Amino acid sequence: AQYVASGEVTGFINGQWAMSEHESDLRVVSTNSFGGWWSGDSVSQVTVLRPTSGQLKEIGRVGGLGKTEQVQSVRFIGDMGYVVTFRQTDPLYVIDLTDPTDPTVAGELKILGYSAYLHPLGDGILLGIGQDATETGRVTGTQVSLFDVSDPTNPTKIDGLSVDDAHSEAEWDHHAFLYWNPAELMLAPFSSWSSNEEKESETFDTGVLAVKRNGDSLTLEATLRNGLK
């Protein structure tokens, strides 16, 4: 490994997927939160940096992403970038980085909930795992979504499924996510908690989600459970 250059961007990043090197340029998604990350006064941007004489100098930027929202997931694939922000609804931004000096928002999709991890399946298809949510932004359980981003100007959600009152470690640790290409099968752990006021009982459940892709559809093959009461 050899030292090449150093630079900076404004704000903070939400994880390793927010940075990507492509053809010697570094692309970074960061969030400016003017009153603190909890304040809701925030906006995100994609900055492109190029090493020049020992410095990473900004050569391009596109801002105004997810005003008042937080970045939930990022994925760069070649000349394209995908950014999910969330507060009440989930804008999935498609960023065209073909010209690194002039990155642009090619398309945008708004749906309820959000994807906390995005996984490319090839042929313009993304698989997302995160949280479903109400119109007021209250999360309701683990959500798996299938997106068609083959037309950058018109990203669409083509299928999805959810497990009520559940969370998955894959939402914050991609090592907890597996996509087995030969079987087109996704595996991810989950845990859930629910209560029954009438019966004065609580249920804590853990297990593994097994979700199979069949073309443009997702099927919940199994929830391998270990229910605890």
Side-chain angles (χ1 to χ4, degrees):
Q2 292 183 331
Y3 170 79
V4 176
S6 296
E8 63 181 33
V9 296
T10 59
F12 58 90
I13 63 175
N14 80 326
Q16 71 181 71
W17 301 106
M19 298 184 293
S20 170
E21 185 272 339
H22 182 66
E23 296 182 351
S24 298
D25 291 334
L26 179 65
R27 293 89 60 89
V28 182
V29 177
S30 61
T31 301
N32 296 338
S33 192
F34 305 102
W37 63 267
W38 60 87
S39 69
D41 184 13
S42 58
V43 66
S44 300
Q45 56 273 322
V46 180
T47 306
V48 184
L49 305 167
R50 179 170 293 174
T52 305
S53 302
Q55 292 184 320
L56 284 172
K57 294 188 176 181
E58 180 180 322
I59 62 167
R61 175 193 288 223
V62 57
L65 307 180
K67 293 179 180 178
T68 76
E69 299 173 340
Q70 297 295 321
V71 171
Q72 299 296 326
S73 61
V74 180
R75 197 67 189 242
F76 290 97
I77 305 171
D79 289 327
M80 306 302 295
Y82 306 94
V83 181
V84 171
T85 63
F86 176 76
R87 189 175 186 189
Q88 286 183 304
T89 56
D90 160 14
L92 167 63
Y93 295 98
V94 180
I95 312 298
D96 187 345
L97 294 148
T98 304
D99 180 356
T101 66
D102 186 28
T104 59
V105 177
E108 178 182 346
L109 171 66
K110 288 188 176 182
I111 57 175
L112 296 179
Y114 62 86
S115 295
Y117 173 70
L118 294 171
H119 189 79
L121 300 184
D123 299 323
I125 303 295
L126 289 175
L127 183 69
I129 182 167
Q131 286 286 305
D132 201 354
T134 65
E135 292 184 356
T136 60
R138 182 179 68 84
V139 296
T140 60
T142 297
Q143 176 176 243
V144 182
S145 304
L146 198 63
F147 300 102
D148 185 343
V149 292
S150 56
D151 179 358
T153 66
N154 184 35
T156 59
K157 180 178 178 179
I158 51 181
D159 201 12
L161 53 86
S162 60
V163 179
D164 292 343
D165 302 315
H167 288 80
S168 174
E169 287 183 47
E171 296 174 34
W172 57 86
D173 182 0
H174 67 276
H175 295 100
F177 176 95
L178 171 67
Y179 188 80
W180 185 243
N181 280 301
E184 294 190 299
L185 185 68
M186 185 210 84
L187 298 173
F190 77 94
S191 60
S192 64
W193 175 88
S194 61
S195 63
N196 187 315
E197 293 184 1
E198 293 183 0
K199 295 183 178 180
E200 296 183 348
S201 64
E202 296 181 349
T203 299
F204 179 71
D205 202 6
T206 62
V208 176
L209 298 178
V211 178
K212 185 172 179 60
R213 177 194 175 193
N214 297 285
D216 289 343
S217 65
L218 297 174
T219 304
L220 185 61
E221 293 289 285
T223 53
L224 309 177
R225 294 176 178 266
N226 179 27
L228 303 173
K229 295 184 179 180

